[in-house]
Amino acid sequence: MTFKVLAISGSLRKNSTNTFALKALQKIAPADITIEIADISDVPMYNGDLHELGEPKAVTELKLKIRQADAVVIATPEYNFSVPATLKNVLDWASRPPEPPFNEKPVAILGVSPGPVGTARAQYHLRQVLVFMNTFTLNKPEVFINHSAQKFNASGELTDETTQKFLLDQLLALKTLALRVKV
Ligand SMILES: Cc1cc2nc3c(=O)[nH]c(=O)nc-3n(C[C@H](O)[C@H](O)[C@H](O)COP(=O)(O)O)c2cc1C
């Protein structure tokens, strides 16, 4: 049976290295794992007044995709040692009723940065947020893609074979976790 993964990139820009990592994951994934990259560009900034008027369409659609996925992969950039507002905003919307879809959802996190620590600081903040949302976040293997300029080519393809192996190992571990916790 096909294992369905929804992938979320915390960067909206066209040439996002985090989105490139998710595209690489699509290529690396075995045939029985499908990876859809979510479009979060239409999700508005959270505002309780707006929410009271009804859940925005982009939020409803995203929550449905999360609910229908067997697992979620989040690729986060690091902004000022933390998670970008874009990603936190999406998680904030998804954490609200009706039917918050991240409850007990298997999640793997990774991140890409041009610097030496590969988003480690942002990833630990993200893990903390996901604790409150009661996800089953994969502990290991962690994937910190540092020095991004050396890992992706000018077309945005992940050329570094060691990183490809890290991504595959994490994806397979995510599937194992998801099958283990499935009720
Ligand atoms: C507002 C802002 C803050 C940033 N802060 C950090 C940081 O704390 N640590 C870091 O390694 N890179 C930082 N960067 C650089 C990002 O890692 C870099 O822009 C990265 O390519 C963003 O991911 P993307 O390629 O997926 O858009 C920052 C970039 C922006 C725009």
Side-chain angles (χ1 to χ4, degrees):
M1 214 171 74
T2 302
F3 184 77
K4 283 176 63 177
V5 173
L6 186 74
I8 299 173
S9 170
S11 174
L12 297 176
R13 71 190 187 96
K14 184 164 48 75
N15 288 327
S16 159
T17 52
N18 283 276
T19 306
F20 288 157
L22 295 177
K23 289 185 174 165
L25 195 60
Q26 286 177 316
K27 285 194 184 161
I28 293 161
D32 63 337
I33 302 180
T34 63
I35 298 171
E36 179 186 359
I37 300 176
D39 179 3
I40 61 166
S41 56
D42 287 336
V43 176
M45 191 51 78
Y46 187 83
N47 175 337
D49 295 339
L50 180 65
H51 197 187
E52 277 181 23
L53 295 174
E55 196 173 68
K57 187 163 165 275
V59 173
T60 306
E61 287 174 359
L62 180 67
K63 284 171 73 175
L64 182 64
K65 282 178 192 268
I66 295 166
R67 201 171 300 117
Q68 289 176 340
D70 296 306
V72 173
V73 173
I74 300 175
T76 184
E78 182 169 281
Y79 279 9
N80 297 307
F81 283 16
S82 190
V83 178
T86 321
L87 177 60
K88 182 62 164 53
N89 181 54
V90 161
L91 297 176
D92 289 341
W93 272 115
S95 72
R96 306 306 294 163
E99 298 181 81
F102 271 110
N103 188 47
E104 299 191 347
K105 182 67 65 178
V107 177
I109 62 184
L110 60 102
V112 187
S113 78
V117 294
T119 74
R121 295 161 293 219
Q123 286 194 38
Y124 287 118
H125 281 189
L126 178 56
R127 278 183 187 275
Q128 181 179 332
V129 173
L130 294 172
V131 166
F132 184 70
M133 293 169 67
N134 203 34
T135 65
F136 292 138
T137 304
L138 184 72
N139 290 330
K140 287 183 184 177
E142 297 176 301
V143 177
F144 306 116
I145 306 177
N146 62 2
H147 302 302
S148 53
Q150 296 164 29
K151 311 265 163 84
F152 296 86
N153 66 18
S155 310
E157 288 153 344
L158 178 67
T159 49
D160 185 73
E161 287 180 14
T162 307
T163 307
Q164 290 173 5
K165 173 90 171 55
F166 285 146
L167 285 174
L168 177 61
D169 287 350
Q170 188 190 53
L171 181 63
L172 297 178
L174 177 65
K175 185 179 174 189
T176 300
L177 171 73
L179 296 179
R180 201 170 280 171
V181 299
K182 198 176 170 119
V183 281

PDB file of all heavy atoms in Angstrom, residues 34-48:
ATOM      1  N   THR A  34       4.714   8.240  -1.581  1.00  0.00           N
ATOM      2  CA  THR A  34       4.450   9.447  -2.372  1.00  0.00           C
ATOM      3  C   THR A  34       4.642  10.676  -1.484  1.00  0.00           C
ATOM      4  O   THR A  34       4.285  10.662  -0.301  1.00  0.00           O
ATOM      5  CB  THR A  34       3.012   9.468  -2.932  1.00  0.00           C
ATOM      6  OG1 THR A  34       2.094   9.500  -1.831  1.00  0.00           O
ATOM      7  CG2 THR A  34       2.723   8.275  -3.806  1.00  0.00           C
ATOM      8  N   ILE A  35       5.201  11.718  -2.076  1.00  0.00           N
ATOM      9  CA  ILE A  35       5.447  12.943  -1.309  1.00  0.00           C
ATOM     10  C   ILE A  35       4.846  14.122  -2.060  1.00  0.00           C
ATOM     11  O   ILE A  35       5.276  14.450  -3.178  1.00  0.00           O
ATOM     12  CB  ILE A  35       6.954  13.167  -1.093  1.00  0.00           C
ATOM     13  CG1 ILE A  35       7.513  12.004  -0.284  1.00  0.00           C
ATOM     14  CG2 ILE A  35       7.213  14.503  -0.392  1.00  0.00           C
ATOM     15  CD1 ILE A  35       8.999  11.964  -0.167  1.00  0.00           C
ATOM     16  N   GLU A  36       3.852  14.733  -1.433  1.00  0.00           N
ATOM     17  CA  GLU A  36       3.233  15.926  -2.013  1.00  0.00           C
ATOM     18  C   GLU A  36       3.759  17.145  -1.255  1.00  0.00           C
ATOM     19  O   GLU A  36       3.751  17.153  -0.022  1.00  0.00           O
ATOM     20  CB  GLU A  36       1.707  15.859  -1.882  1.00  0.00           C
ATOM     21  CG  GLU A  36       1.023  17.092  -2.447  1.00  0.00           C
ATOM     22  CD  GLU A  36      -0.491  17.125  -2.211  1.00  0.00           C
ATOM     23  OE1 GLU A  36      -1.024  16.171  -1.619  1.00  0.00           O
ATOM     24  OE2 GLU A  36      -1.116  18.111  -2.616  1.00  0.00           O
ATOM     25  N   ILE A  37       4.173  18.167  -1.998  1.00  0.00           N
ATOM     26  CA  ILE A  37       4.639  19.389  -1.339  1.00  0.00           C
ATOM     27  C   ILE A  37       3.458  20.354  -1.239  1.00  0.00           C
ATOM     28  O   ILE A  37       2.851  20.729  -2.250  1.00  0.00           O
ATOM     29  CB  ILE A  37       5.817  20.023  -2.099  1.00  0.00           C
ATOM     30  CG1 ILE A  37       6.993  19.035  -2.167  1.00  0.00           C
ATOM     31  CG2 ILE A  37       6.253  21.334  -1.421  1.00  0.00           C
ATOM     32  CD1 ILE A  37       8.192  19.507  -2.969  1.00  0.00           C
ATOM     33  N   ALA A  38       3.124  20.731  -0.005  1.00  0.00           N
ATOM     34  CA  ALA A  38       1.964  21.605   0.227  1.00  0.00           C
ATOM     35  C   ALA A  38       2.256  23.020  -0.251  1.00  0.00           C
ATOM     36  O   ALA A  38       3.390  23.503  -0.153  1.00  0.00           O
ATOM     37  CB  ALA A  38       1.637  21.624   1.716  1.00  0.00           C
ATOM     38  N   ASP A  39       1.214  23.677  -0.744  1.00  0.00           N
ATOM     39  CA  ASP A  39       1.328  25.095  -1.097  1.00  0.00           C
ATOM     40  C   ASP A  39       0.744  25.900   0.066  1.00  0.00           C
ATOM     41  O   ASP A  39      -0.458  25.869   0.304  1.00  0.00           O
ATOM     42  CB  ASP A  39       0.542  25.364  -2.388  1.00  0.00           C
ATOM     43  CG  ASP A  39       0.611  26.830  -2.791  1.00  0.00           C
ATOM     44  OD1 ASP A  39       1.307  27.614  -2.104  1.00  0.00           O
ATOM     45  OD2 ASP A  39      -0.043  27.197  -3.790  1.00  0.00           O
ATOM     46  N   ILE A  40       1.614  26.608   0.787  1.00  0.00           N
ATOM     47  CA  ILE A  40       1.126  27.366   1.948  1.00  0.00           C
ATOM     48  C   ILE A  40       1.097  28.865   1.665  1.00  0.00           C
ATOM     49  O   ILE A  40       0.898  29.668   2.579  1.00  0.00           O
ATOM     50  CB  ILE A  40       1.985  27.080   3.208  1.00  0.00           C
ATOM     51  CG1 ILE A  40       3.450  27.483   2.989  1.00  0.00           C
ATOM     52  CG2 ILE A  40       1.882  25.618   3.614  1.00  0.00           C
ATOM     53  CD1 ILE A  40       4.263  27.553   4.276  1.00  0.00           C
ATOM     54  N   SER A  41       1.272  29.219   0.399  1.00  0.00           N
ATOM     55  CA  SER A  41       1.435  30.639   0.079  1.00  0.00           C
ATOM     56  C   SER A  41       0.157  31.466   0.291  1.00  0.00           C
ATOM     57  O   SER A  41       0.225  32.682   0.440  1.00  0.00           O
ATOM     58  CB  SER A  41       1.932  30.808  -1.362  1.00  0.00           C
ATOM     59  OG  SER A  41       1.047  30.164  -2.251  1.00  0.00           O
ATOM     60  N   ASP A  42      -1.016  30.825   0.303  1.00  0.00           N
ATOM     61  CA  ASP A  42      -2.265  31.575   0.475  1.00  0.00           C
ATOM     62  C   ASP A  42      -2.777  31.588   1.916  1.00  0.00           C
ATOM     63  O   ASP A  42      -3.871  32.097   2.181  1.00  0.00           O
ATOM     64  CB  ASP A  42      -3.370  30.982  -0.422  1.00  0.00           C
ATOM     65  CG  ASP A  42      -3.132  31.316  -1.881  1.00  0.00           C
ATOM     66  OD1 ASP A  42      -2.441  32.320  -2.153  1.00  0.00           O
ATOM     67  OD2 ASP A  42      -3.613  30.554  -2.739  1.00  0.00           O
ATOM     68  N   VAL A  43      -2.011  31.009   2.838  1.00  0.00           N
ATOM     69  CA  VAL A  43      -2.458  30.998   4.235  1.00  0.00           C
ATOM     70  C   VAL A  43      -2.244  32.389   4.844  1.00  0.00           C
ATOM     71  O   VAL A  43      -1.124  32.882   4.884  1.00  0.00           O
ATOM     72  CB  VAL A  43      -1.687  29.926   5.054  1.00  0.00           C
ATOM     73  CG1 VAL A  43      -2.079  29.991   6.530  1.00  0.00           C
ATOM     74  CG2 VAL A  43      -1.953  28.527   4.489  1.00  0.00           C
ATOM     75  N   PRO A  44      -3.323  33.024   5.295  1.00  0.00           N
ATOM     76  CA  PRO A  44      -3.182  34.385   5.835  1.00  0.00           C
ATOM     77  C   PRO A  44      -2.537  34.387   7.215  1.00  0.00           C
ATOM     78  O   PRO A  44      -2.452  33.335   7.868  1.00  0.00           O
ATOM     79  CB  PRO A  44      -4.631  34.877   5.927  1.00  0.00           C
ATOM     80  CG  PRO A  44      -5.444  33.633   6.094  1.00  0.00           C
ATOM     81  CD  PRO A  44      -4.716  32.535   5.376  1.00  0.00           C
ATOM     82  N   MET A  45      -2.110  35.534   7.678  1.00  0.00           N
ATOM     83  CA  MET A  45      -1.551  35.646   9.025  1.00  0.00           C
ATOM     84  C   MET A  45      -2.669  35.386  10.037  1.00  0.00           C
ATOM     85  O   MET A  45      -3.787  35.874   9.869  1.00  0.00           O
ATOM     86  CB  MET A  45      -0.967  37.043   9.197  1.00  0.00           C
ATOM     87  CG  MET A  45      -0.110  37.244  10.434  1.00  0.00           C
ATOM     88  SD  MET A  45       1.180  36.008  10.658  1.00  0.00           S
ATOM     89  CE  MET A  45       2.417  36.519   9.505  1.00  0.00           C
ATOM     90  N   TYR A  46      -2.357  34.567  11.053  1.00  0.00           N
ATOM     91  CA  TYR A  46      -3.408  34.211  12.011  1.00  0.00           C
ATOM     92  C   TYR A  46      -3.962  35.449  12.708  1.00  0.00           C
ATOM     93  O   TYR A  46      -3.212  36.309  13.187  1.00  0.00           O
ATOM     94  CB  TYR A  46      -2.908  33.218  13.076  1.00  0.00           C
ATOM     95  CG  TYR A  46      -4.080  32.767  13.923  1.00  0.00           C
ATOM     96  CD1 TYR A  46      -4.902  31.743  13.492  1.00  0.00           C
ATOM     97  CD2 TYR A  46      -4.425  33.450  15.084  1.00  0.00           C
ATOM     98  CE1 TYR A  46      -6.025  31.376  14.205  1.00  0.00           C
ATOM     99  CE2 TYR A  46      -5.550  33.087  15.808  1.00  0.00           C
ATOM    100  CZ  TYR A  46      -6.348  32.050  15.358  1.00  0.00           C
ATOM    101  OH  TYR A  46      -7.482  31.700  16.056  1.00  0.00           O
ATOM    102  N   ASN A  47      -5.277  35.501  12.753  1.00  0.00           N
ATOM    103  CA  ASN A  47      -5.982  36.586  13.435  1.00  0.00           C
ATOM    104  C   ASN A  47      -7.280  35.975  13.967  1.00  0.00           C
ATOM    105  O   ASN A  47      -8.082  35.436  13.185  1.00  0.00           O
ATOM    106  CB  ASN A  47      -6.258  37.711  12.412  1.00  0.00           C
ATOM    107  CG  ASN A  47      -7.088  38.835  12.985  1.00  0.00           C
ATOM    108  OD1 ASN A  47      -7.818  38.667  13.959  1.00  0.00           O
ATOM    109  ND2 ASN A  47      -6.996  39.993  12.362  1.00  0.00           N
ATOM    110  N   GLY A  48      -7.451  35.990  15.266  1.00  0.00           N
ATOM    111  CA  GLY A  48      -8.631  35.361  15.857  1.00  0.00           C
ATOM    112  C   GLY A  48      -9.931  35.917  15.316  1.00  0.00           C
ATOM    113  O   GLY A  48     -10.923  35.179  15.181  1.00  0.00           O
TER     114      GLY A  48
END
